[in-house]
Amino acid sequence: MRKLTVMLVAMALGTAIAWGQGWAPHGPIYIYGDAQFTWENGVVKGAGTPEDPYIIEGWIIDTRGHDYGIYVDGTRAHFVIRDCQIRYPLEKAGILLSNVRNGRIEGTAVFGGRVGIHLLVTSGTVITGNAIGYCDHGIVLGPAAQGNTIYGNSIVNCGFPARTEGVPNQWFKDGRGNYWSDYRGTDLDKNGIGDTPYELVPDLYPLMEPPVSLPAGATRLSTLDLAALGERGIVALAPGTLVRLVATDIGVGVDKIFYRLDEGQWLTYGDPFPLPDRAMVRMEYYAVDKLGNQERTKQLVIYLDIEPPVTRIVADGPHYFAPDGKLWITSRTKLELRADDASGMANIFYRIEGGDWRSYTEPFMVPGPEGPYRIEYYALDLYGNREGVQTAILWKDDSAPATEPAAGGKAPFEVGGTGRDEAPTLTPAPAPEPELEPEPEPTPEPPAPTLAFRVTLTSISLLEEPGGEGTWTLTYSLNGEEKEIVREELPLVLYTGEEKHLSLTLRAKEGDEHPDVGEHTLTLAAPWTLASYDLEIPVYVGSDPASALLGVWRFTVEVTEDR
């Protein structure tokens, strides 16, 4: 036996309910432009009009080995993706719509991959009645995706359930949002709608029960090469996992695989088997080829990751732990969030003083005046286990101490008496009359240090120009005053000074006399956050998002300390 390798394929069981019947297998679908809505690309009927849209329906698409399950780019025709199953989009996304208008995705299941549904430079799309599960990211809306409506979907056990870049999209309709398996809100009035909004995206009416479930057999799929893990491997798998063992032999071939769990009875492997319901399982295994050659017994320790991550906050820079337990920081202190989890982290989220939740990417500082600040944070692991919201109160102090001399002293004494045999008596000597002098002017307190900021336009790039080379003018306006941008002069400092309400509008214009305009406004309100902002600005014919796309520009703006 020249080579014998045993592999393990882990599949997490999904929610099992009946879905539509009569599905047919289909390869990944790639559509570039309206002319490619064809039968070969999965279209079963329709004419592309609002009354009779193209219908892509009834397909099972296995995306293993491909970037996408369904990819639609540069279309204006009306179309519907309906009642499909897209399995294991391990490379990029189950469904990607790019530069698309007038799309609709409904009644479709996407599971077991990186991203469920991804929209780029897309508007007027409705996403409803879909089930997305066991993905690293559920629904992702890029910076130039706007005017889309997402409601009535079930997002289950995704590491990062949803992400939006802040442009206007609606995550509910008619008082009905989406089901998020990591939502921890309450429903005190028992109307099926959460009492508080979902935290990651502006879903004001999160559903307490899933409106649609994943199809029977929906799985989380991951393949582990046990030979690469060494003689004693360690892995973490999701609860409800089935284990499939695969052995390969480049000689005569594998005959049988044997395994046992926790030193139990040796079994001959046949079908995928469930793991015992406990936190850790020790598995031993070996394979035998058709000539009777047997590999050495190997071991694998499997942890079932049912525990949420544990996150802690770490101060880097000036800080002090007081005896009373308070953590004191300054405006220069960087705060790091560290999370530990067996299966690996998907994301950490935090907010300051009840503001918007943010995805943690790098250490951050706390802007604003002195005083106490409430930092809230939590983490999600790769299997959707969510940590409860943690809270830390930090005290901020940017003032230097003031030292003053202590006042006071003792009066002088003199010795006196009436005779040689009398004990001397101590009487205070009269204090001399002080000379009156004008009181000195009080020394004014030094002003508290003020943290200054700088807003810089660091780079501009043209991401997409479907209509060919155009005549472009780029401008910015700061609180109303518009100025032209010369790209050769970047980076360009737009503002320096104290934090205040600042409105920065960036514009891209195509044409001279009557230009087509796209714009994006970045609003900074105190307290500011030191960060980098990537703002993508699409420009359409007639400045109308329903018209053809002329180009997409990306402006990068950084907010830093002005040292």
Side-chain angles (χ1 to χ4, degrees), residues 28-89:
I29 295 171
Y30 290 82
I31 295 174
Y32 300 91
D34 292 342
Q36 293 193 6
F37 281 109
T38 63
W39 169 258
E40 291 77 12
N41 285 328
V43 177
V44 297
K45 60 181 178 180
T49 65
E51 299 78 17
D52 188 19
Y54 293 121
I55 303 295
I56 300 173
E57 182 179 25
W59 303 115
I60 295 178
I61 302 173
D62 193 316
T63 64
R64 281 175 286 187
H66 301 274
D67 289 342
Y68 303 98
I70 298 178
Y71 179 99
V72 183
D73 186 13
T75 65
R76 298 296 179 268
H78 292 257
F79 68 93
V80 178
I81 299 171
R82 175 191 299 160
D83 195 21
C84 293
Q85 277 193 31
I86 301 176
R87 303 176 174 181
Y88 316 124

Side-chain angles (χ1 to χ4, degrees), residues 318-334:
H319 66 280
Y320 171 68
F321 283 100
D324 60 2
K326 291 181 180 178
L327 173 58
W328 291 83
I329 63 171
T330 73
S331 294
R332 304 185 308 278
T333 307
K334 291 185 177 181

Side-chain angles (χ1 to χ4, degrees), residues 300-337:
L300 176 68
V301 177
I302 302 173
Y303 290 94
L304 293 186
D305 187 8
I306 59 176
E307 296 296 329
V310 177
T311 307
R312 63 187 188 278
I313 190 167
V314 179
D316 180 18
H319 66 280
Y320 171 68
F321 283 100
D324 60 2
K326 291 181 180 178
L327 173 58
W328 291 83
I329 63 171
T330 73
S331 294
R332 304 185 308 278
T333 307
K334 291 185 177 181
L335 301 178
E336 180 183 356
L337 297 177

Side-chain angles (χ1 to χ4, degrees), residues 126-148:
V126 176
I127 302 174
T128 184
N130 304 286
I132 302 171
Y134 307 115
C135 292
D136 296 340
H137 294 74
I139 299 176
V140 177
L141 304 187
Q146 56 187 332
N148 304 289

Side-chain angles (χ1 to χ4, degrees), residues 135-140 155 158-163 200 346-347 349 359 380-381:
C135 292
D136 296 340
H137 294 74
I139 299 176
V140 177
I155 296 87
C158 291
F160 201 138
R163 188 177 73 199
L200 300 187
N347 221 308
F349 303 93
S359 176
L380 287 168
D381 69 13

Side-chain angles (χ1 to χ4, degrees), residues 358-375:
R358 305 169 184 173
S359 176
Y360 173 78
T361 57
E362 60 184 0
F364 60 93
M365 292 176 283
V366 178
E370 297 179 331
Y373 284 85
R374 184 176 76 257
I375 312 295

